[in-house]
Amino acid sequence: MRTSVATVCLSGGLVEKLYACAEAGFDGVEIMDADLIAAYESPEEIRALCARLGLTIEMYQPFRDVEGVDDATFADNLRRAERKFETMARLGTDLILVCSNAGTATIDDDEVAARQLGELADLAATHGIRIAYEALAWGRFVDDYRHAWRIVQRADRPNLGVCLDSFHILSRGHDPAEIEQIDGEKIFFLQLADAPSLDMDVLSWSRHHRLFPGEGSFDLSRFLAHTLRAGYTGPLSLEVFNDTFRQTDVVRTAAHARRSLTWLADRTAEESGCGDRLVLDAQIAHDIDFVEIAGADLDVLDEMLEQLGFRFRGRHQSKPVRLWSAGGARIILNEQSSETVPRLMGFGLQVDDASAAVERALELGAPAVFRRTYAGEQELRAVAAPDGTEVYWNDRPAETSWATEFEGGELSGQTDGVIDHLNVGYRWQDFDEAVLFATSVLSLIPEPSADVPGPRGLVRSQVMRTADGIVRMPMNLAPPTAPVPSRHIAIRCDNVVAVARRARDLGLTFLAVPANYYDDLTARFDLDSGERAELKELNLLYDRDGEGEFIHFYTPTVGGVFLEMVERRGAYEGYGAGNAPVRLAVQK
């Protein structure tokens, strides 16, 4: 698989972008004319730099508004093209992207469009250049890839083919199956982009909201499979216009982009048999092994866990680390971190083959995490998520593996419990990358996102989970001007009312819920006065749907983390979304 990326996807100057692309492992680049024009380096210098970095210049782009015009305008277009072809010769690339006319087209006639594209191709041929014609989703007369292909066929030039762009095709709802009717040798280039489902004009959607594969709602594996079946043999290239990616660290974004292509190509091979598998099979997590909180001043959390019914399991035999558990819910407090305040540092997942899970993560570009292990201790291999959160995998029961390394605690009298979900917050510039990491490395499935009102604006919530719902990870994106939401660990128990009473009697102060919330519960749900009074007395929150009920409460925030105790009754699958605005407001 050859890979490429358009320089428009990345922040910085052209030279900076090229170094980042090479470091990320791309084979080639599409050079945007705006990037070259703004560079101090000559086309010859850029060509030499790409050669030193091992990058091929796959395509120069774009050339706009050529066909469907009057003769005078077309003559000027040929003049413009001549200059572009000269620049391409200096760059050392032989392919140019020509977009369907969206600005100056006045003649809706395929014969005219084919004749003019043919003349452009003839001029390009004198420079040894090929033309990839692309139907823009907002093209004046040509906005469908099938229409573009008919015009290319009519023009009938050996150096004229089509460029297929997943956004332009899928955003318009066009069926990609007909790609297989195109001669594979005439598919000169392929551009890939994902995107969220948005109801807006397609030009704004394209210019600001494209995403890397695996982050949006497009079925890109099906799209790619059709293209490969047609006989396309060129590079898989990314063209992603996104305001966030053009502001974030260029090296990190390039690595993020490269991971998305690996994931997409591998998924396409797995689902359709098109291409070769690039990474090991996904290891689906069947439990959360543990959650680790690291930082200073963890004594407050020791007290809080005891109040919630957790049992102290002891200190690690060789590290300043201690373990608390409630049934299958295991929380590690790590004092050896450099964090100044407690934060959710990492978590472990139970899988069938831990080594395979780690190798897959490394193949997808996740960096390995090193943690010293002494003789006789189990080595849990891990990688770092884009924000630094450490993810560990284990294929042995905790109670007969790493948990035996903790000494001086107790096992008797444990209350019930299991990690229900981990709620993690991200900065605006990290969110899409985190979604891709959860999809590709953790093999979690995204649910439809939702917006939750908060005191500083809407918070976007994206739940990632396994198909069976055993592992759940709601991911929150705060407004750009708001601080990153604190992360929290939700522990599910059988009787949250009893847990709340015990914790209160032991001195735990809950997150205080306004009285107005309980007045509103009467309007939302038909609760009897006794049940409503009990909820109010214990600062419990309540939700209900057609499948069951959800009762929960929150602890105060300690540093950058807090706990949530939940009880699910019946087949309730949600997270109390209607209560989130109250929680966010109270925490502020």
Side-chain angles (χ1 to χ4, degrees):
M1 178 187 74
R2 283 169 47 222
T3 59
S4 172
V5 60
T7 55
V8 73
C9 301
L10 306 171
S11 64
L14 180 55
V15 169
E16 186 180 9
K17 295 181 182 191
L18 294 175
Y19 274 103
C21 292
E23 184 175 337
F26 282 99
D27 300 305
V29 291
E30 304 173 42
I31 291 186
M32 298 290 292
D33 59 356
D35 286 320
L36 181 64
I37 292 167
Y40 286 104
E41 296 76 17
S42 68
E44 290 84 359
E45 289 173 309
I46 295 299
R47 176 180 184 173
L49 175 60
C50 287
R52 290 197 302 272
L53 293 174
L55 295 171
T56 56
I57 302 177
E58 301 286 353
M59 185 165 70
Y60 185 61
Q61 66 129 318
F63 192 63
R64 301 184 185 277
D65 300 334
V66 175
E67 84 292 1
V69 296
D70 58 65
D71 291 342
T73 302
F74 183 66
D76 189 59
N77 289 342
L78 292 179
R79 179 196 61 79
R80 290 192 297 122
E82 184 86 41
R83 303 287 83 77
K84 293 292 185 181
F85 298 156
E86 292 169 356
T87 299
M88 291 174 62
R90 298 170 65 191
L91 275 174
T93 185
D94 71 343
L95 182 64
I96 188 170
L97 176 70
V98 172
C99 304
S100 63
N101 199 326
T104 63
T106 57
I107 304 171
D108 184 10
D109 187 323
D110 283 4
E111 182 62 39
V112 171
R115 174 175 56 79
Q116 293 178 341
L117 283 175
E119 290 185 34
L120 180 67
D122 292 339
L123 177 61
T126 65
H127 295 267
I129 287 172
R130 299 174 300 135
I131 294 172
Y133 182 53
E134 174 184 69
L136 295 179
W138 54 89
R140 178 75 184 278
F141 300 127
V142 180
D143 59 11
D144 186 322
Y145 76 95
R146 294 162 292 196
H147 190 179
W149 169 232
R150 291 195 297 271
I151 292 174
V152 166
Q153 287 179 298
R154 185 186 292 252
D156 192 22
R157 299 298 198 280
N159 65 327
L160 176 63
V162 294
C163 173
L164 300 178
D165 183 309
S166 63
F167 182 88
H168 292 303
I169 294 171
L170 300 180
S171 66
R172 294 295 302 269
H174 298 318
D175 186 358
E178 293 183 52
I179 291 174
E180 296 189 36
Q181 298 178 17
I182 301 175
D183 179 356
E185 293 185 355
K186 298 294 279 186
I187 302 176
F188 282 3
F189 209 70
L190 174 66
Q191 294 175 320
L192 297 162
D194 210 334
S197 295
L198 297 174
D199 185 12
M200 63 188 307
D201 72 277
V202 71
L203 177 57
S204 298
W205 190 10
S206 173
R207 286 284 181 260
H208 303 284
H209 301 288
R210 293 195 191 196
L211 297 169
F212 291 124
E215 299 171 349
S217 60
F218 289 166
D219 188 351
L220 288 184
S221 58
R222 176 172 175 260
F223 173 88
L224 178 56
H226 286 308
T227 307
L228 295 177
R229 289 194 191 104
Y232 177 71
T233 58
L236 308 187
S237 191
L238 296 168
E239 187 191 48
V240 175
F241 298 90
N242 182 289
D243 297 337
T244 298
F245 301 153
R246 285 178 284 197
Q247 299 177 62
T248 50
D249 177 74
V250 63
V251 173
R252 180 168 163 178
T253 305
H256 170 191
R258 185 63 180 82
R259 177 181 298 130
S260 75
L261 273 186
T262 301
W263 172 83
L264 174 60
D266 185 74
R267 181 171 181 176
T268 302
E270 180 183 17
E271 293 182 351
S272 67
C274 294
D276 297 324
R277 296 295 307 274
L278 303 178
V279 298
L280 295 174
D281 288 341
Q283 290 291 310
I284 307 302
H286 47 73
D287 198 5
I288 296 178
D289 199 25
F290 64 87
V291 179
E292 181 179 39
I293 300 173
D297 301 323
L298 297 178
D299 292 347
V300 176
L301 285 164
D302 283 306
E303 182 180 11
M304 184 181 292
L305 289 168
E306 184 172 15
Q307 291 165 332
L308 292 171
F310 278 72
R311 291 290 180 264
F312 179 61
R313 298 288 302 280
R315 297 179 181 276
H316 195 271
Q317 61 192 16
S318 65
K319 304 179 181 71
V321 176
R322 48 194 184 269
L323 171 64
W324 290 82
S325 66
R330 289 172 287 271
I331 296 180
I332 292 174
L333 302 183
N334 182 353
E335 292 181 320
Q336 63 183 351
S337 169
S338 60
E339 296 292 328
T340 56
V341 297
R343 80 175 186 93
L344 200 162
M345 183 73 175
F347 57 90
L349 297 174
Q350 281 277 349
V351 294
D352 292 332
D353 188 337
S355 293
V358 175
E359 292 304 321
R360 173 184 168 86
L362 296 174
E363 289 167 346
L364 287 163
V369 169
F370 171 77
R371 185 171 290 188
R372 180 176 287 108
T373 302
Y374 294 94
E377 297 175 354
Q378 181 180 355
E379 179 185 9
L380 294 179
R381 296 176 63 192
V383 300
D387 67 334
T389 301
E390 297 174 356
V391 182
Y392 295 80
W393 284 274
N394 188 16
D395 51 18
R396 297 173 56 195
E399 299 302 334
T400 59
S401 58
W402 62 266
T404 62
E405 299 167 10
F406 290 82
E407 303 168 340
E410 59 178 333
L411 283 171
S412 61
Q414 284 199 76
T415 56
D416 64 281
V418 65
I419 302 295
D420 185 83
H421 62 272
L422 301 178
N423 194 304
V424 292
Y426 291 95
R427 300 178 299 172
W428 62 272
Q429 64 265 44
D430 297 336
F431 188 80
D432 293 318
E433 186 178 8
V435 170
L436 176 62
F437 180 86
T439 301
S440 60
V441 176
L442 305 184
S443 302
L444 300 180
I445 302 168
E447 292 188 340
S449 63
D451 291 329
V452 177
R456 292 185 175 91
L458 291 177
V459 175
R460 178 181 167 194
S461 180
Q462 172 72 70
V463 174
M464 309 292 297
R465 54 176 283 173
T466 52
D468 57 14
I470 291 178
V471 177
R472 311 168 189 244
M473 188 180 299
M475 303 168 64
N476 292 333
L477 169 65
T481 58
V484 179
S486 296
R487 298 182 168 194
H488 77 263
I489 306 163
I491 299 100
R492 187 167 73 250
C493 58
D494 294 336
N495 189 337
V496 74
V497 173
V499 172
R501 286 194 182 281
R502 180 183 184 278
R504 185 192 60 177
D505 293 344
L506 291 174
L508 178 61
T509 301
F510 300 167
L511 192 68
V513 180
N516 291 336
Y517 169 81
Y518 297 100
D519 293 337
D520 185 62
L521 275 185
T522 304
R524 292 170 59 199
F525 305 110
D526 183 22
L527 299 176
D528 63 53
S529 58
E531 187 174 7
R532 176 181 174 277
E534 183 176 59
L535 294 171
K536 183 176 181 181
E537 174 197 0
L538 296 171
N539 282 285
L540 297 173
L541 297 123
Y542 178 88
D543 192 29
R544 183 171 71 200
D545 60 18
E547 303 299 326
E549 299 172 288
F550 188 67
I551 305 174
H552 57 134
F553 70 87
Y554 299 98
T555 71
T557 301
V558 181
V561 68
F562 60 96
L563 305 178
E564 177 187 10
M565 300 299 297
V566 311
E567 178 186 348
R568 296 180 182 273
R569 297 176 178 175
Y572 182 95
E573 286 291 309
Y575 304 87
N579 301 325
V582 175
R583 190 257 295 174
L584 292 169
V586 172
Q587 286 179 324
K588 177 179 182 299

